[in-house]
PDB file of all heavy atoms in Angstrom:
ATOM      1  N   SER A  86     -60.063  -0.852 181.891  1.00 96.00           N
ATOM      2  CA  SER A  86     -59.709   0.312 181.095  1.00 96.00           C
ATOM      3  C   SER A  86     -58.401   0.853 181.666  1.00 96.00           C
ATOM      4  O   SER A  86     -57.739   0.167 182.439  1.00 96.00           O
ATOM      5  CB  SER A  86     -60.830   1.359 181.144  1.00 96.00           C
ATOM      6  OG  SER A  86     -60.555   2.434 180.271  1.00 96.00           O
ATOM      7  N   GLN A  87     -58.065   2.075 181.282  1.00 94.00           N
ATOM      8  CA  GLN A  87     -56.831   2.668 181.771  1.00 94.00           C
ATOM      9  C   GLN A  87     -56.933   4.180 181.766  1.00 94.00           C
ATOM     10  O   GLN A  87     -57.428   4.772 180.808  1.00 94.00           O
ATOM     11  CB  GLN A  87     -55.662   2.237 180.879  1.00 94.00           C
ATOM     12  CG  GLN A  87     -54.338   2.830 181.292  1.00 94.00           C
ATOM     13  CD  GLN A  87     -53.184   2.263 180.491  1.00 94.00           C
ATOM     14  OE1 GLN A  87     -52.813   1.140 180.706  1.00 94.00           O
ATOM     15  NE2 GLN A  87     -52.638   3.052 179.582  1.00 94.00           N
ATOM     16  N   LEU A  88     -56.467   4.794 182.843  1.00 92.00           N
ATOM     17  CA  LEU A  88     -56.242   6.231 182.835  1.00 92.00           C
ATOM     18  C   LEU A  88     -54.927   6.415 182.095  1.00 92.00           C
ATOM     19  O   LEU A  88     -53.925   5.776 182.443  1.00 92.00           O
ATOM     20  CB  LEU A  88     -56.135   6.764 184.262  1.00 92.00           C
ATOM     21  CG  LEU A  88     -57.394   6.622 185.115  1.00 92.00           C
ATOM     22  CD1 LEU A  88     -57.056   6.752 186.587  1.00 92.00           C
ATOM     23  CD2 LEU A  88     -58.398   7.666 184.707  1.00 92.00           C
ATOM     24  N   PRO A  89     -54.876   7.234 181.064  1.00 91.00           N
ATOM     25  CA  PRO A  89     -53.659   7.321 180.251  1.00 91.00           C
ATOM     26  C   PRO A  89     -52.568   8.173 180.889  1.00 91.00           C
ATOM     27  O   PRO A  89     -52.845   9.044 181.708  1.00 91.00           O
ATOM     28  CB  PRO A  89     -54.159   7.990 178.970  1.00 91.00           C
ATOM     29  CG  PRO A  89     -55.283   8.855 179.440  1.00 91.00           C
ATOM     30  CD  PRO A  89     -55.947   8.083 180.558  1.00 91.00           C
ATOM     31  N   ALA A  90     -51.341   7.915 180.473  1.00 95.00           N
ATOM     32  CA  ALA A  90     -50.255   8.837 180.782  1.00 95.00           C
ATOM     33  C   ALA A  90     -50.468  10.044 179.873  1.00 95.00           C
ATOM     34  O   ALA A  90     -50.681   9.887 178.673  1.00 95.00           O
ATOM     35  CB  ALA A  90     -48.908   8.186 180.500  1.00 95.00           C
ATOM     36  N   ALA A  91     -50.450  11.231 180.448  1.00 92.00           N
ATOM     37  CA  ALA A  91     -50.743  12.414 179.643  1.00 92.00           C
ATOM     38  C   ALA A  91     -50.289  13.679 180.359  1.00 92.00           C
ATOM     39  O   ALA A  91     -50.100  13.688 181.571  1.00 92.00           O
ATOM     40  CB  ALA A  91     -52.247  12.497 179.374  1.00 92.00           C
ATOM     41  N   THR A  92     -50.157  14.741 179.584  1.00 93.00           N
ATOM     42  CA  THR A  92     -49.975  16.069 180.138  1.00 93.00           C
ATOM     43  C   THR A  92     -51.363  16.678 180.230  1.00 93.00           C
ATOM     44  O   THR A  92     -52.095  16.720 179.230  1.00 93.00           O
ATOM     45  CB  THR A  92     -49.074  16.930 179.229  1.00 93.00           C
ATOM     46  OG1 THR A  92     -47.813  16.265 179.109  1.00 93.00           O
ATOM     47  CG2 THR A  92     -48.884  18.317 179.803  1.00 93.00           C
ATOM     48  N   VAL A  93     -51.752  17.105 181.435  1.00 93.00           N
ATOM     49  CA  VAL A  93     -53.114  17.571 181.648  1.00 93.00           C
ATOM     50  C   VAL A  93     -53.151  18.903 182.383  1.00 93.00           C
ATOM     51  O   VAL A  93     -52.249  19.231 183.145  1.00 93.00           O
ATOM     52  CB  VAL A  93     -53.950  16.533 182.443  1.00 93.00           C
ATOM     53  CG1 VAL A  93     -54.030  15.209 181.719  1.00 93.00           C
ATOM     54  CG2 VAL A  93     -53.409  16.330 183.840  1.00 93.00           C
ATOM     55  N   ALA A  94     -54.212  19.636 182.120  1.00 95.00           N
ATOM     56  CA  ALA A  94     -54.539  20.802 182.937  1.00 95.00           C
ATOM     57  C   ALA A  94     -55.440  20.284 184.046  1.00 95.00           C
ATOM     58  O   ALA A  94     -56.398  19.548 183.796  1.00 95.00           O
ATOM     59  CB  ALA A  94     -55.268  21.853 182.100  1.00 95.00           C
ATOM     60  N   ARG A  95     -55.126  20.648 185.282  1.00 94.00           N
ATOM     61  CA  ARG A  95     -55.871  20.106 186.417  1.00 94.00           C
ATOM     62  C   ARG A  95     -56.159  21.204 187.426  1.00 94.00           C
ATOM     63  O   ARG A  95     -55.338  22.087 187.671  1.00 94.00           O
ATOM     64  CB  ARG A  95     -55.062  18.993 187.076  1.00 94.00           C
ATOM     65  CG  ARG A  95     -55.756  18.414 188.283  1.00 94.00           C
ATOM     66  CD  ARG A  95     -55.175  17.126 188.770  1.00 94.00           C
ATOM     67  NE  ARG A  95     -53.752  17.168 189.037  1.00 94.00           N
ATOM     68  CZ  ARG A  95     -53.030  16.080 189.237  1.00 94.00           C
ATOM     69  NH1 ARG A  95     -53.563  14.888 189.182  1.00 94.00           N
ATOM     70  NH2 ARG A  95     -51.746  16.184 189.496  1.00 94.00           N
ATOM     71  N   THR A  96     -57.344  21.133 188.002  1.00 94.00           N
ATOM     72  CA  THR A  96     -57.731  22.019 189.088  1.00 94.00           C
ATOM     73  C   THR A  96     -58.649  21.240 190.015  1.00 94.00           C
ATOM     74  O   THR A  96     -59.029  20.109 189.720  1.00 94.00           O
ATOM     75  CB  THR A  96     -58.421  23.296 188.571  1.00 94.00           C
ATOM     76  OG1 THR A  96     -58.603  24.208 189.667  1.00 94.00           O
ATOM     77  CG2 THR A  96     -59.773  23.013 187.941  1.00 94.00           C
ATOM     78  N   VAL A  97     -59.014  21.857 191.126  1.00 93.00           N
ATOM     79  CA  VAL A  97     -59.971  21.263 192.054  1.00 93.00           C
ATOM     80  C   VAL A  97     -61.114  22.251 192.233  1.00 93.00           C
ATOM     81  O   VAL A  97     -60.885  23.430 192.525  1.00 93.00           O
ATOM     82  CB  VAL A  97     -59.320  20.959 193.425  1.00 93.00           C
ATOM     83  CG1 VAL A  97     -60.355  20.457 194.425  1.00 93.00           C
ATOM     84  CG2 VAL A  97     -58.184  19.951 193.261  1.00 93.00           C
ATOM     85  N   TYR A  98     -62.343  21.756 192.040  1.00 93.00           N
ATOM     86  CA  TYR A  98     -63.544  22.540 192.302  1.00 93.00           C
ATOM     87  C   TYR A  98     -64.052  22.158 193.680  1.00 93.00           C
ATOM     88  O   TYR A  98     -64.177  20.968 193.988  1.00 93.00           O
ATOM     89  CB  TYR A  98     -64.614  22.261 191.243  1.00 93.00           C
ATOM     90  CG  TYR A  98     -65.980  22.772 191.632  1.00 93.00           C
ATOM     91  CD1 TYR A  98     -66.233  24.134 191.700  1.00 93.00           C
ATOM     92  CD2 TYR A  98     -67.013  21.899 191.954  1.00 93.00           C
ATOM     93  CE1 TYR A  98     -67.476  24.609 192.077  1.00 93.00           C
ATOM     94  CE2 TYR A  98     -68.259  22.364 192.320  1.00 93.00           C
ATOM     95  CZ  TYR A  98     -68.489  23.721 192.388  1.00 93.00           C
ATOM     96  OH  TYR A  98     -69.714  24.185 192.763  1.00 93.00           O
ATOM     97  N   ARG A  99     -64.350  23.143 194.502  1.00 90.00           N
ATOM     98  CA  ARG A  99     -64.888  22.908 195.843  1.00 90.00           C
ATOM     99  C   ARG A  99     -66.231  23.615 195.926  1.00 90.00           C
ATOM    100  O   ARG A  99     -66.285  24.840 195.952  1.00 90.00           O
ATOM    101  CB  ARG A  99     -63.946  23.461 196.901  1.00 90.00           C
ATOM    102  CG  ARG A  99     -62.569  22.824 196.857  1.00 90.00           C
ATOM    103  CD  ARG A  99     -61.582  23.489 197.815  1.00 90.00           C
ATOM    104  NE  ARG A  99     -60.216  23.126 197.507  1.00 90.00           N
ATOM    105  CZ  ARG A  99     -59.641  21.989 197.880  1.00 90.00           C
ATOM    106  NH1 ARG A  99     -60.322  21.108 198.563  1.00 90.00           N
ATOM    107  NH2 ARG A  99     -58.385  21.739 197.548  1.00 90.00           N
ATOM    108  N   GLY A 100     -67.286  22.822 195.927  1.00 88.00           N
ATOM    109  CA  GLY A 100     -68.603  23.419 195.997  1.00 88.00           C
ATOM    110  C   GLY A 100     -69.684  22.432 195.614  1.00 88.00           C
ATOM    111  O   GLY A 100     -69.407  21.271 195.314  1.00 88.00           O
ATOM    112  N   PRO A 101     -70.921  22.890 195.591  1.00 87.00           N
ATOM    113  CA  PRO A 101     -72.054  22.013 195.296  1.00 87.00           C
ATOM    114  C   PRO A 101     -72.125  21.659 193.808  1.00 87.00           C
ATOM    115  O   PRO A 101     -71.574  22.359 192.949  1.00 87.00           O
ATOM    116  CB  PRO A 101     -73.267  22.841 195.716  1.00 87.00           C
ATOM    117  CG  PRO A 101     -72.821  24.258 195.542  1.00 87.00           C
ATOM    118  CD  PRO A 101     -71.346  24.255 195.896  1.00 87.00           C
ATOM    119  N   TYR A 102     -72.819  20.582 193.518  1.00 80.00           N
ATOM    120  CA  TYR A 102     -72.991  20.109 192.144  1.00 80.00           C
ATOM    121  C   TYR A 102     -73.523  21.214 191.234  1.00 80.00           C
ATOM    122  O   TYR A 102     -73.092  21.340 190.093  1.00 80.00           O
ATOM    123  CB  TYR A 102     -73.943  18.897 192.129  1.00 80.00           C
ATOM    124  CG  TYR A 102     -74.194  18.369 190.742  1.00 80.00           C
ATOM    125  CD1 TYR A 102     -73.284  17.521 190.127  1.00 80.00           C
ATOM    126  CD2 TYR A 102     -75.338  18.727 190.024  1.00 80.00           C
ATOM    127  CE1 TYR A 102     -73.487  17.040 188.850  1.00 80.00           C
ATOM    128  CE2 TYR A 102     -75.550  18.249 188.745  1.00 80.00           C
ATOM    129  CZ  TYR A 102     -74.630  17.410 188.162  1.00 80.00           C
ATOM    130  OH  TYR A 102     -74.837  16.940 186.892  1.00 80.00           O
ATOM    131  N   GLU A 103     -74.420  22.035 191.751  1.00 88.00           N
ATOM    132  CA  GLU A 103     -75.046  23.087 190.941  1.00 88.00           C
ATOM    133  C   GLU A 103     -74.038  24.108 190.416  1.00 88.00           C
ATOM    134  O   GLU A 103     -74.302  24.782 189.428  1.00 88.00           O
ATOM    135  CB  GLU A 103     -76.134  23.802 191.754  1.00 88.00           C
ATOM    136  CG  GLU A 103     -77.315  22.925 192.116  1.00 88.00           C
ATOM    137  CD  GLU A 103     -77.027  21.932 193.255  1.00 88.00           C
ATOM    138  OE1 GLU A 103     -76.083  22.172 194.047  1.00 88.00           O
ATOM    139  OE2 GLU A 103     -77.721  20.907 193.327  1.00 88.00           O
ATOM    140  N   GLY A 104     -72.885  24.239 191.040  1.00 91.00           N
ATOM    141  CA  GLY A 104     -71.870  25.183 190.589  1.00 91.00           C
ATOM    142  C   GLY A 104     -70.852  24.593 189.629  1.00 91.00           C
ATOM    143  O   GLY A 104     -69.969  25.301 189.132  1.00 91.00           O
ATOM    144  N   LEU A 105     -70.976  23.299 189.345  1.00 87.00           N
ATOM    145  CA  LEU A 105     -69.977  22.619 188.527  1.00 87.00           C
ATOM    146  C   LEU A 105     -69.914  23.182 187.104  1.00 87.00           C
ATOM    147  O   LEU A 105     -68.832  23.360 186.556  1.00 87.00           O
ATOM    148  CB  LEU A 105     -70.264  21.120 188.504  1.00 87.00           C
ATOM    149  CG  LEU A 105     -69.201  20.210 187.931  1.00 87.00           C
ATOM    150  CD1 LEU A 105     -67.864  20.406 188.619  1.00 87.00           C
ATOM    151  CD2 LEU A 105     -69.647  18.755 188.061  1.00 87.00           C
TER     152      LEU A 105
END
Side-chain angles (χ1 to χ4, degrees):
S86 186
Q87 179 174 287
L88 296 162
T92 301
V93 300
R95 178 166 54 193
T96 188
V97 175
Y98 166 69
R99 300 174 196 279
Y102 179 81
E103 294 76 22
L105 191 55

